[in-house]
Amino acid sequence: MKKLSVLFAAAMMVVSVGMAKAQKIATLDVIGVLNAMPEKKKADADLKTFLDTKQGEIKKKADAGQAKLKQYSEEAPKKTAEENKAREAELAKMQEEIQQMNDKAQKDFVAKQDAAYEPIEKKLNDAVSKVAKASGYDYIMDANSSAFVFKAGPDATAAVKKELGIQ
């Protein structure tokens, strides 16, 4: 039994020495790097243009609906019940079309955003991997994360920006 406890103690010492090996950890300002990438700036501008165009189309349709609503409201006392009911149905259909346009615009925007950002994220991840391997980092963590309790390790932001060719 004594040999077993000595063997266990020796095994624990070996494991603890292996675990005590210092991990090389660095932080990275992911948002700062992304915002400095020209590809991201272009993608953001393209997405804003796309969104502005879609919102303009929806606003135009909504304004037309508001004009009809105003017109129909003013003319309602002079029209028959059947005409007013048909007009209400027309306005409801316009409202539904506007909602469908809005839903489609949101789906299209998300798809366009995913397609635009995917190559940017891949490029960033490749650069981070290359810097981590070159610098011997075991981990690179996002400096913007609130999960950090203490940040004192090296900062890999400059190296990743250099790898991407941005300032």
Side-chain angles (χ1 to χ4, degrees), residues 13-98:
M13 286 176 48
V14 169
V15 169
S16 63
V17 168
M19 290 178 78
K21 176 189 158 217
Q23 301 282 326
K24 285 192 73 181
I25 300 173
T27 59
L28 172 66
D29 180 8
V30 175
I31 294 171
V33 172
L34 282 172
N35 288 335
M37 293 177 72
E39 300 94 331
K40 169 99 171 22
K41 291 176 185 176
K42 182 180 180 335
D44 287 346
D46 291 348
L47 288 169
K48 184 180 181 330
T49 301
F50 176 81
L51 191 59
D52 290 346
T53 301
K54 290 297 181 183
Q55 287 176 338
E57 292 170 3
I58 293 168
K59 185 178 182 331
K60 185 177 175 183
K61 183 86 168 177
D63 289 346
Q66 286 295 325
K68 273 197 178 192
L69 175 63
K70 183 179 178 191
Q71 176 192 349
Y72 289 176
S73 295
E74 291 171 356
E75 296 175 353
K78 302 173 192 165
K79 299 292 179 181
T80 66
E82 289 131 14
E83 288 176 312
N84 284 334
K85 192 169 187 168
R87 288 178 167 197
E88 285 177 24
E90 181 184 351
L91 289 172
K93 185 178 181 210
M94 284 185 81
Q95 182 64 34
E96 185 178 322
E97 289 172 359
I98 291 168

Side-chain angles (χ1 to χ4, degrees), residues 104-167:
K104 184 176 181 337
Q106 287 177 349
K107 287 178 185 174
D108 291 348
F109 178 77
V110 168
K112 192 168 183 75
Q113 186 179 38
D114 290 345
Y117 288 159
E118 186 178 337
I120 296 168
E121 290 173 9
K122 182 181 179 341
K123 184 176 180 180
L124 175 63
N125 288 336
D126 291 347
V128 169
S129 294
K130 191 170 182 181
V131 167
K133 289 175 184 170
S135 301
Y137 296 132
D138 295 320
Y139 301 98
I140 295 183
M141 299 179 165
D142 187 357
N144 300 308
S145 173
S146 61
F148 281 116
V149 177
F150 179 74
K151 298 177 188 176
D155 187 356
T157 303
V160 171
K161 282 184 171 182
K162 182 179 178 186
E163 179 64 34
L164 289 168
I166 57 178
Q167 300 303 328

